[in-house]
Amino acid sequence: MKNNSFNNCLCEYCTNMEMKVTAINKETQGRRNALGILNRYELSKKTVCLKPEGERFYRRDCINRNCSKCGVKKLQEEIRKALRGKAQIEWNRWESQTYKDTKTGKKKLRKMLRLKRESVYVFLRELYEEVETFSSHLHNAMWQYQQFNTLIHEIPMNWVVFCMDFSENYTCLYQDEAQSAHWSHDQATSFFIVAYYRCPEHNEIMHESLMFVSDDKHHDSHGVHHYVTEANKHLTEKLHLTIEREIHFSDGAASQFKSKTPFADVANSSTDYGFPCEKHFFGSRHGKGPCDGEFGVVKRTVSQAVVARQALIRNVKEFHDFAKAKLSKPNDDKDTECSDHKLRTFFYVPQTEVTRQRSDRINAKQIPGTRKLHAVKPCSEDILRVATRALSCFCIHCRGSQTESTCQSVDHVDDWESQEIQKRQAKSTKGTDNSRSKNKTTRAKSSKGTDNSLYNRVALLTNHLSKPCKFTK
Ligand SMILES: [Zn+2]
Ligand SMILES: [Zn+2]
Ligand SMILES: [Zn+2]
Ligand SMILES: [Zn+2]
C-alpha cells in the first residue's frame, strides 16, 4: 500500500469535506477572491500554522485547536470574502437516512448522497463545524498509517504484525445464473489477516496472507478472536515461529475491533496465546489497504473462473476449496516458503466453531473515550486492566530498546495510561462491600456479590487493588 493510495482512500468525513471544497470552488470560480484550494488537505492547512522546519507533521496544539495563532477562524475570513454577495450554494453530502426494508418491514439506516441547496449561512455553519475536528482527523489517519508502515519495514525479530479486516461478503454465484446475474443467498464471510514477520532463517520480512472463509455471518469481535486464535496456532504450531509480541492493526469498527470485548481479549492475550497482543487502529474510518488488495485478488480469481465455467461454486466450502487450490502460496513443489517470502494460506471455519459464550470477555467495562484511542495493550500480570494511548508509537524506545530512555514522539504522543476494564460491579447482596474507594478508577472490585465470574475470582487472587499496572515492553 503506497502512501498515495492510502490518501486516496476517502472516508465519509473526507468525502463530505472534498465535496464542500468542490462547491466553494464552483461558486467562486473566476472571482477575484476565489479561494483556489485544490482539496481537503489544503483546506485543513488553512486552519493550522506551518509545520515546524524539517517536520512531517503539524504541531499538536494547532491540530487540537489549542494554538492562539491558528484555527478555523483563519479560514473564515477568506471564505467570507470569496463567497461575498452569494445568497445560496449547492453541494453534495453523504447523509444517513432511514428507510423501510421491504423484506422485513423494519426501519433501517443507510447512507445516501444528497444534493443540498441552502443559504450560504447554513453551508458555512456546517463547514466550520466539520472543519473544527478535521485537521486532527487527517493527522491521526496519517500518523497511524506512518507508524504501521514504518513498523512493517523494520519489524523486529520475533514480532508479528497483523493488518486485519472483514471483507464484503462474497456471494456464491452459480455459473448458469451468471448471465442473468442471479445471486444465491449462501454467503461466505471472508476475514483477512495480512501477517508480517521475520523469516527466522534468512531474517527477511515475510508477508503472509491468511484468509479465513466461514459460513458464520456475524462480523463481530468473537469472530475476530477466533480467527486470530487460528492464525496464531498456524504461526506457532505449523510454522514454529517464536512470538514475543504481536501487533494488530485494523480500522476502528466498534463491534469488531475497538470496544470492551476486544479490549478484554487484549488484556487476556498472554493467557490465551502465551505472548501479549496489542491493538492499534488506523485513523477512524481509514485503513485496511493491504486486506482490500488481498480480497480483490481472491474475488477476481473466483468470479472469473465461475463466469468462464471453470469452477462450480455452490457454497462457502466450495468457495474456500477453489480459492485454496488456486491461490495458496507456495503452490507447487518447486516453490518453497522462502522463494519470495510471500505466503498465502486459506482456512475454512465452520460457523459452529466460533464461540460467542465468553462471559469473561463480554462483561468487560467500556473505557471512557474509547473513540479517541488508537492503541491498547495488556498490562502484564493484570488481566483486569489495559494500557491505552491516544496515538501509536513504535520508536526505538517504544519497541522496548534500552538505548533510548524516552519516547521519541513526545511532541505528538502522550505516554500509556492504565485503564480498568473490569466487569461492572453487580450490587453487593451482603451489604458488606468494603471495596469502595473515592477513586473512581479503582472502584467496583468487590467479589462479595453473587457474581462468581472469572474476573472477580481473578481479582481476589491477584489482589490487584494495590498493584500498579506494569506495562509489557
Ligand atoms: Zn477521512
Ligand atoms: Zn497554530
Ligand atoms: Zn526465508
Ligand atoms: Zn515512542
Side-chain angles (χ1 to χ4, degrees):
M1 186 168 63
K2 292 201 188 80
N3 226 334
N4 212 15
S5 62
F6 173 77
N7 288 343
N8 286 338
C9 145
L10 293 177
C11 77
E12 183 192 320
Y13 195 3
C14 287
T15 313
N16 280 340
M17 201 56 83
E18 206 67 49
M19 290 189 293
K20 283 198 174 68
V21 170
T22 308
I24 297 171
N25 285 337
K26 201 176 141 200
E27 286 298 328
T28 61
Q29 209 176 21
R31 287 189 153 206
R32 199 161 52 89
N33 286 324
L35 215 49
I37 38 176
L38 286 172
N39 52 40
R40 63 196 190 284
Y41 293 98
E42 284 194 11
L43 185 81
S44 166
K45 197 174 158 186
K46 285 198 179 285
T47 69
V48 287
C49 299
L50 290 174
K51 286 175 195 169
E53 199 148 325
E55 285 288 320
R56 230 179 133 169
F57 294 94
Y58 293 102
R59 283 180 52 238
R60 176 147 64 156
D61 275 350
C62 303
I63 294 292
N64 294 339
R65 309 292 185 219
N66 291 326
C67 169
S68 59
K69 296 194 187 87
C70 64
V72 182
K73 60 178 188 290
K74 249 183 96 187
L75 177 76
Q76 282 174 341
E77 190 53 32
E78 269 188 72
I79 294 197
R80 228 189 337 254
K81 269 189 204 154
L83 289 173
R84 187 171 291 154
K86 293 266 172 198
Q88 295 234 306
I89 186 165
E90 215 173 62
W91 75 102
N92 283 302
R93 187 170 199 271
W94 284 101
E95 289 185 348
S96 298
Q97 280 186 346
T98 42
Y99 72 102
K100 206 170 164 187
D101 189 318
T102 44
K103 272 184 204 150
T104 59
K106 280 182 187 161
K107 274 191 181 165
K108 284 187 171 175
L109 263 185
R110 73 176 156 205
K111 299 280 176 204
M112 297 278 287
L113 189 63
R114 261 188 66 195
L115 176 68
K116 296 177 78 164
R117 190 173 172 78
E118 302 265 6
S119 68
V120 166
Y121 172 78
V122 170
F123 172 78
L124 289 180
R125 200 179 48 192
E126 194 179 282
L127 174 74
Y128 297 150
E129 207 182 295
E130 287 172 4
V131 169
E132 188 63 33
T133 50
F134 191 61
S135 297
S136 69
H137 172 82
L138 289 182
H139 172 81
N140 292 348
M142 284 195 273
W143 179 272
Q144 289 301 105
Y145 175 71
Q146 201 219 355
Q147 291 300 319
F148 169 74
N149 200 36
T150 308
L151 183 62
I152 59 170
H153 286 97
E154 298 169 6
I155 189 162
M157 186 56 102
N158 299 337
W159 280 41
V160 172
V161 178
F162 283 171
C163 177
M164 56 174 83
D165 196 20
F166 284 97
S167 276
E168 58 183 287
N169 285 343
Y170 176 85
T171 306
C172 297
L173 176 67
Y174 289 91
Q175 57 219 112
D176 289 336
E177 290 175 334
Q179 297 294 320
S180 51
H182 279 178
W183 298 79
S184 112
H185 297 295
D186 192 356
Q187 288 187 321
T189 285
S190 311
F191 184 77
F192 268 103
I193 295 178
V194 180
Y196 305 83
Y197 51 86
R198 291 226 175 240
C199 156
E201 214 176 307
H202 304 100
N203 198 25
E204 293 261 338
I205 295 171
M206 191 80 103
H207 293 221
E208 182 171 12
S209 300
L210 306 160
M211 186 193 183
F212 297 85
V213 180
S214 177
D215 55 350
D216 180 55
K217 298 196 183 62
H218 301 280
H219 289 188
D220 62 7
S221 58
H222 302 296
V224 173
H225 184 257
H226 184 82
Y227 303 133
V228 166
T229 304
E230 292 301 305
N232 283 333
K233 256 193 228 165
H234 167 80
L235 295 177
T236 54
E237 291 171 18
K238 198 146 171 262
L239 303 184
H240 306 293
L241 281 190
T242 305
I243 304 177
E244 285 167 8
R245 187 164 163 186
E246 190 171 277
I247 311 293
H248 299 173
F249 265 92
S250 68
D251 68 22
S255 59
Q256 299 159 358
F257 308 112
K258 198 180 179 184
S259 52
K260 50 190 185 167
T261 300
F263 291 179
D265 285 334
V266 166
N268 286 275
S269 54
S270 291
T271 319
D272 287 349
Y273 310 121
F275 47 82
C277 294
E278 305 174 11
K279 284 200 178 292
H280 296 254
F281 305 100
F282 291 118
S284 55
R285 297 176 272 186
H286 281 253
K288 66 192 181 183
C291 298
D292 277 354
E294 272 301 299
F295 185 66
V297 171
V298 174
K299 198 176 160 181
R300 236 181 354 263
T301 308
V302 175
S303 297
Q304 279 167 4
V306 167
V307 173
R309 292 168 187 261
Q310 290 158 352
L312 182 68
I313 311 278
R314 287 162 304 192
N315 55 45
V316 179
K317 183 72 171 53
E318 286 179 354
F319 171 68
H320 162 267
D321 293 349
F322 178 81
K324 183 179 176 170
K326 194 96 179 163
L327 293 166
S328 288
K329 265 174 128 179
N331 208 5
D332 59 50
D333 300 339
K334 278 173 273 152
D335 247 4
T336 71
E337 281 162 8
C338 287
S339 294
D340 60 356
H341 290 104
K342 288 200 166 65
L343 308 178
R344 195 183 282 123
T345 312
F346 290 85
F347 302 81
Y348 176 65
V349 180
Q351 183 202 335
T352 46
E353 282 183 9
V354 182
T355 316
R356 299 204 149 74
Q357 266 66 54
R358 304 191 300 139
S359 61
D360 62 325
R361 310 293 162 90
I362 52 181
N363 292 326
K365 199 173 83 175
Q366 191 76 30
I367 293 177
T370 293
R371 212 170 47 83
K372 291 192 169 165
L373 304 173
H374 287 90
V376 181
K377 69 175 182 177
C379 291
S380 58
E381 300 168 35
D382 193 346
I383 60 163
L384 305 174
R385 302 184 81 84
V386 287
T388 63
R389 219 172 181 185
L391 290 173
S392 302
C393 181
F394 292 101
C395 71
I396 305 176
H397 169 79
C398 292
R399 285 183 216 172
S401 163
Q402 307 296 328
T403 57
E404 291 288 337
S405 59
T406 49
C407 171
Q408 293 167 305
S409 307
V410 281
D411 287 346
H412 295 281
V413 188
D414 289 326
D415 208 352
W416 292 96
E417 201 181 317
S418 170
Q419 307 251 25
E420 185 191 27
I421 54 150
Q422 194 213 2
K423 177 187 184 308
R424 221 175 262 116
Q425 169 72 48
K427 273 230 164 108
S428 174
T429 50
K430 293 187 179 172
T432 53
D433 185 351
N434 57 4
S435 73
R436 265 189 206 150
S437 139
K438 276 169 225 133
N439 185 348
K440 251 189 167 177
T441 55
T442 54
R443 216 167 69 188
K445 281 164 189 161
S446 163
S447 60
K448 295 198 169 166
T450 47
D451 194 301
N452 196 27
S453 73
L454 180 66
Y455 272 101
N456 283 343
R457 277 183 279 132
V458 175
L460 264 189
L461 285 172
T462 56
N463 187 24
H464 68 284
L465 265 171
S466 56
K467 205 175 258 176
C469 169
K470 276 195 212 141
F471 306 141
T472 51
K473 269 261 164 156

